[in-house]
Amino acid sequence: RIISLIAKKRTGKEKRVTIVIGGGGPAGVELAAELSKFCEHACARYNLQEKDFEIILAQAAPRLLPGLHPSISEGARDRLERFGVKVLLDTCIQDIRKNEVTIAPRPLREGETVEKLLCSFGKDKQRVLEADVMVWSGGVRATSFMKQSGFMVDAKGRVDVHDTLEVKGETRTFALGDCSVLIDPTTKQPLPGLAQVAIYQGKVVARNIVRSISGLTLTHYRYPFLASVIPAGGKYAFAQFGSVRIRGFLAYFLYRFVDFKYFLSILPLGYAWKVWWAGWRAYSRND
C-alpha cells in the first residue's frame, strides 16, 4: 500500500503520503522508526522531499512504552520526533473510515481534568486526520466468550485472576494468556501479552488442575524475569533488564543476539545461522 502511494506521489497523483499508527508500545515504536527510515530512503531514491510524508503515532497512555522505565519512554519519543514522527500522547483512535482517522483525548480517570492531559487538543471532543494508511499496533481485546460466559471482565474483556491463575470469584476455573489479567506486584502493571508469559502460565495451570483434583494446595505463579529490547531504527535499540537500561548499538546487538538464540532453539545450527543472516540483511535495508 505504501509503495503504491509513493508511485502515485511520483506521478503527481498523490499530494502527501500520510501514515497513522495506533498504539505506542514496542510494536508501534519499532514500526514508526522503520517507516521513517524507509521514507527517508524513498526521498533519496525518487527525488522526493520529507514534507511529502507524514507519520503520526497515537498513544492512549501519557507516554510511549508504558511498561518500561520512563527514561526509555522519553528516549524513544525523542528519537521518533528527530525522525520526523508526530507523537500524540493521551490520544485514542476513535473511528476509522476510508482515508481518515478520528482521534480523541483518552477517557479521564477519576480525579483527572482535561488540562492534565498531554493531548494537544484536549479541550476538543475529537479531531479528524487524513490517513492514506492506518496501522493498528495497540494490542488486542480478549475474546467475547469470557463476557458471554458470565465472567466479570475489564475494558479489554479480560478476567481477573489470582496468582494461582484461578479466576477471582470462581473455584476450579482457570484463565491464562490474553483472556486474563494478572498484576505484577513489582511494576503494578498487568503482565504483558507475551508468548513467554502465556507458556509459563500454561504450566502453572496444568499443575494446579492436577493439584485441584488431588485436593492439594494450589501453586503460585512466580513472576519471571522479563527482558525487553525494542529496536528504534538505524541499528539502534532500547533495552531493559530489570534495573539495567541500555540504549544504542549495544542494545541493538543484544536484540540480534536474542533473535539468533531463538532460532537456535528451533533449528539446527547451520540453518539457524542461514535464517538469522538473511534476516539481518533484510532488517538492515532501512538503516
Side-chain angles (χ1 to χ4, degrees):
R1 171 68 176 160
I2 295 171
I3 291 172
S4 68
L5 288 168
I6 291 174
K8 289 181 179 180
K9 174 61 188 174
R10 293 173 63 197
T11 57
K13 296 179 182 178
E14 188 76 28
K15 291 176 60 178
R16 182 171 60 175
V17 179
T18 303
I19 305 166
V20 178
I21 301 171
V29 169
E30 179 178 0
L31 179 62
E34 288 297 332
L35 282 176
S36 65
K37 300 296 287 184
F38 175 80
C39 293
E40 182 183 309
H41 282 285
C43 289
R45 184 173 182 180
Y46 301 118
N47 196 29
L48 300 174
Q49 299 180 10
E50 289 184 7
K51 65 179 182 179
D52 294 328
F53 298 92
E54 183 176 31
I55 301 173
I56 302 170
L57 176 62
Q59 164 70 332
R63 62 187 177 95
L64 300 176
L65 306 171
L68 301 181
H69 192 271
S71 64
I72 291 182
S73 299
E74 192 62 32
R77 180 183 178 182
D78 289 343
R79 185 163 177 81
L80 291 182
E81 289 180 340
R82 285 203 304 273
F83 284 169
V85 177
K86 187 175 182 180
V87 178
L88 304 178
L89 300 176
D90 283 335
T91 303
C92 293
I93 303 292
Q94 194 172 60
D95 190 33
I96 302 171
R97 299 179 184 273
K98 186 176 181 179
N99 297 327
E100 68 177 38
V101 172
T102 303
I103 57 175
R106 67 165 171 80
L108 295 175
R109 301 189 184 98
E110 187 176 351
E112 277 188 324
T113 60
V114 173
E115 289 74 21
K116 294 293 184 181
L117 295 181
L118 298 176
C119 180
S120 59
F121 56 99
K123 294 184 178 180
D124 301 334
K125 291 185 178 180
Q126 62 182 35
R127 183 171 293 181
V128 178
L129 303 176
E130 177 186 339
D132 299 299
V133 178
M134 168 67 204
V135 185
W136 181 253
S137 64
V140 299
R141 184 184 296 276
T143 172
S144 59
F145 172 79
M146 306 306 294
K147 186 175 182 179
Q148 292 169 358
S149 298
F151 296 114
M152 293 294 293
V153 299
D154 67 2
K156 291 188 176 182
R158 304 171 299 184
V159 295
D160 264 336
V161 295
H162 298 287
D163 61 1
T164 58
L165 281 303
E166 202 171 25
V167 177
K168 291 184 177 179
E170 305 284 340
T171 56
R172 294 196 172 192
T173 304
F174 301 90
L176 62 102
D178 291 340
C179 71
S180 68
V181 57
L182 179 62
I183 304 298
D184 188 324
T186 302
T187 64
K188 309 300 181 185
Q189 296 288 328
L191 291 177
L194 301 175
Q196 58 181 314
V197 173
I199 290 170
Y200 182 67
Q201 287 181 333
K203 295 177 181 179
V204 174
V205 168
R207 192 178 300 119
N208 280 341
I209 289 173
V210 174
R211 295 181 70 86
S212 178
I213 293 171
S214 304
L216 301 174
T217 304
L218 301 184
T219 59
H220 298 270
Y221 180 88
R222 294 182 180 178
Y223 298 88
F225 175 79
L226 296 175
S228 299
V229 185
I230 296 92
K235 292 187 176 65
Y236 191 103
F238 296 91
Q240 179 172 310
F241 304 86
S243 61
V244 178
R245 298 180 292 277
I246 307 171
R247 63 177 67 189
F249 178 76
L250 178 58
Y252 178 83
F253 178 79
L254 288 172
Y255 166 68
R256 303 306 307 159
F257 173 77
V258 169
D259 255 4
F260 183 59
K261 184 180 178 182
Y262 168 70
F263 288 132
L264 276 178
S265 71
I266 60 173
L267 299 170
L269 175 60
Y271 194 49
W273 173 263
K274 183 179 179 180
V275 173
W276 178 83
W277 178 247
W280 177 290
R281 292 178 62 191
Y283 301 148
S284 298
R285 287 175 184 171
N286 286 339
D287 293 345

